[in-house]
Amino acid sequence: MSSRRTFIESAITVAALAGASPLLGMARPRVSDRPKNLRPIPVVTPDVKDLPFTIENGVKVFQLTAEPVKRKIAPWKTIDCWGFNGSCPGPTIQVTQGDHVRIVLENHLPESTAIHWHGLEIPYAMDGMPYLSQKPISPGSRLAYEFTVHQNGTFFYHSHSPMQQMMGMLGLFILHPPRAHAPTVDHDFGIVLQEWAVLPNNTVPNTANMEWNWLTFNGAVSPMTTPLVVRLGSRVRIRFVNIGMDHHPIHLHGHTFVVTGTEAGRQPETVWGPANTVLIGVAQARDIEFVANNPGEWMLHCHMPHHNMNAMSDLLGDRMMMTAETEDKRALSQMQTLADRVGFEHVHHAPIAPGANQVPGFPQDAFMDMGMDEAVAKPENNGLPRNWSAMMMGMMTLVRVLPPDLYERVVPPAAVHSSHHHEGGAE
Ligand SMILES: [Cu+2]
């Protein structure tokens, strides 16, 4: 009984937040109207584009350019990383099992490189190992990798140079099966996990460092990550890949999922045990699937506490904040001073107690809450409550489970249509 009440209350909350009738949130989950036995839908990688391709004599041809990239990972932080085609992580490559693929790698980096196709069972000459399977690709030159894919699942590509990896040289490589796995999914998302060590007032990651102060989903820290907006009652797949230095236990609120795939492809249904946290180890991929049957704005995040934080030192600049202010009014003005440095329209901090400074341990991070809703405004954030961004940090995003009418208000039908037919996706 209590779980049913909770369900209804959260339904009302979602509807109320978006200014709709509470009754709408109680609508019965709608079964997918997609016909069965379809080709897979393309994977959507929020905040990362797909790599387009051309067809030449039956070969899918991709142009991949390794190059320095400026990536805005937070409203107040842009880093100088390395990636591909202006993107870090690199653009998502999507092909179908059985495709013959040619990927022309052009090197615009100041040093040599090569690309490894992680987990792909392809000829040795295509393995991307400098001095072993190929000569390094020198700056200004190019090399075509060509192979037929006979696997399906969530794979990735990366430079095999460790420090180039930690500069960001990796991307998703989705191998779709010719026909969608059953049960078919209505939403399919990809998330790349990365760690960075960027000193205050610096823009270049320190690839030799062993401590990380920025942790990103698809090249952005929360609240700059773009929420995964899904329709109530739909079946959702989320694919995670990790090529960093830490393992990340990714936790989803409000739902129970099953792990349907690893970095080597689809797992048999017999091992789909229920879970709400999945550990994405280094060099691993995990696919999770669930029915989005619980309306709400659900957190999806790494559960390592330090991976749910953002570095504030760039906001502080030369004025280190050694002690927190001791009354609400002064604390708010302290936060405003920080926020003014980056032009936030408003700041927020949760109330503190009188004499807070007398309490050992004060301040912790609930003092540092800083709402920055305007700085990260985008359609996918429409309808979220004011200051929603205040506790969103690090490796974190939202899964917004919305009743159909609200879903269509946040994700206009045109956007849904194009996400199912965009050029780089599965055919
Ligand atoms: Cu983590």
Side-chain angles (χ1 to χ4, degrees):
M1 191 61 208
S2 71
S3 70
R4 174 161 174 78
R5 186 168 65 239
T6 307
F7 180 89
I8 291 171
E9 279 171 3
S10 59
I12 289 170
T13 306
V14 172
L17 291 178
S21 156
L23 290 174
L24 295 175
M26 295 165 67
R28 191 176 294 172
R30 194 165 98 181
V31 178
S32 163
D33 47 12
R34 288 172 69 243
K36 302 256 186 276
N37 220 4
L38 272 187
R39 288 175 177 179
I41 57 173
V43 171
V44 173
T45 317
D47 304 310
V48 176
K49 287 180 183 157
D50 278 351
L51 189 63
F53 61 84
T54 56
I55 306 272
E56 295 175 21
N57 298 322
V59 180
K60 272 187 186 166
V61 181
F62 296 87
Q63 303 288 338
L64 196 58
T65 303
E67 60 188 0
V69 171
K70 284 196 185 297
R71 185 76 178 183
K72 189 176 183 180
I73 59 171
W76 66 94
K77 189 72 179 177
T78 297
I79 63 172
D80 283 294
C81 47
W82 291 0
F84 301 90
N85 299 49
S87 180
C88 178
T92 298
I93 300 174
Q94 305 200 42
V95 302
T96 301
Q97 187 174 4
D99 280 350
H100 195 62
V101 176
R102 183 185 308 136
I103 303 168
V104 181
L105 191 283
E106 187 158 330
N107 184 7
H108 290 185
L109 294 171
E111 62 186 39
S112 297
T113 192
I115 299 302
H116 172 60
W117 316 98
H118 190 103
L120 268 67
E121 298 167 352
I122 52 178
Y124 173 62
M126 298 294 119
D127 198 42
M129 291 301 100
Y131 306 109
L132 282 172
S133 62
Q134 64 167 87
K135 288 182 186 158
I137 307 168
S138 54
S141 66
R142 52 166 64 190
L143 181 72
Y145 293 91
E146 192 159 334
F147 44 80
T148 302
V149 296
H150 71 90
Q151 297 156 279
N152 70 71
T154 304
F155 293 82
F156 38 97
Y157 60 93
H158 62 86
S159 160
H160 212 271
S161 152
M163 288 181 170
Q164 290 185 357
Q165 285 168 33
M166 296 311 293
M167 279 296 279
M169 294 190 64
L170 55 114
L172 270 170
F173 197 159
I174 305 295
L175 310 187
H176 291 282
R179 295 200 169 169
H181 291 300
T184 57
V185 295
D186 305 286
H187 301 274
D188 199 338
F189 297 102
I191 295 182
V192 178
L193 316 177
Q194 288 172 282
E195 302 132 0
W196 310 93
V198 192
L199 290 172
N201 304 313
N202 273 255
T203 59
V204 181
N206 179 349
T207 56
N209 203 309
M210 290 294 288
E211 292 180 354
W212 319 103
N213 58 352
W214 293 99
L215 294 111
T216 55
F217 275 173
N218 290 340
V221 299
S222 195
M224 225 176 88
T225 49
T226 297
L228 315 183
V229 186
V230 306
R231 193 192 288 267
L232 177 64
S234 62
R235 187 174 179 88
V236 180
R237 181 185 296 134
I238 308 175
R239 307 158 184 256
F240 302 96
V241 305
N242 176 13
I243 320 191
M245 292 281 292
D246 276 330
H247 305 287
H248 301 289
I250 304 293
H251 177 61
L252 173 64
H253 290 202
H255 291 80
T256 298
F257 58 70
V258 289
V259 179
T260 58
T262 72
E263 66 282 354
R266 189 79 169 173
Q267 296 211 94
E269 207 164 328
T270 46
V271 300
W272 291 4
N276 51 55
T277 304
V278 58
L279 186 64
I280 321 293
V282 173
Q284 291 185 328
R286 290 291 179 271
D287 298 350
I288 66 167
E289 291 180 21
F290 58 96
V291 177
N293 56 7
N294 195 357
E297 317 289 4
W298 301 107
M299 283 222 184
L300 175 68
H301 65 101
C302 178
H303 222 296
M304 297 271 276
H306 286 192
H307 297 183
N308 291 172
M309 297 166 70
N310 288 337
M312 299 288 284
S313 13
D314 290 276
L315 292 177
L316 294 165
D318 49 1
R319 66 186 93 187
M320 283 303 293
M321 188 163 65
M322 301 307 289
T323 55
E325 292 293 357
T326 50
E327 353 159 342
D328 267 0
K329 205 173 146 194
R330 290 172 65 196
L332 189 57
S333 121
Q334 194 173 38
M335 299 303 275
Q336 185 68 58
T337 304
L338 294 182
D340 284 347
R341 296 177 68 100
V342 284
F344 292 169
E345 289 174 36
H346 87 280
V347 291
H348 155 88
H349 88 99
I352 57 175
N357 259 343
Q358 308 312 309
V359 179
F362 176 81
Q364 298 297 332
D365 58 341
F367 168 79
M368 298 292 281
D369 294 354
M370 185 183 284
M372 53 186 82
D373 304 359
E374 296 91 348
V376 296
K378 62 184 91 171
E380 291 86 349
N381 294 336
N382 284 348
L384 290 169
R386 185 166 167 80
N387 287 321
W388 68 271
S389 57
M391 281 295 269
M392 302 288 295
M393 287 168 275
M395 278 187 165
M396 184 179 283
T397 190
L398 292 173
V399 176
R400 306 190 64 190
V401 181
L402 303 181
D405 61 321
L406 294 183
Y407 174 80
E408 269 149 37
R409 270 200 266 160
V410 172
V411 182
V416 177
H417 183 79
S418 72
S419 82
H420 283 245
H421 298 280
H422 63 166
E423 62 175 327
E427 296 170 285

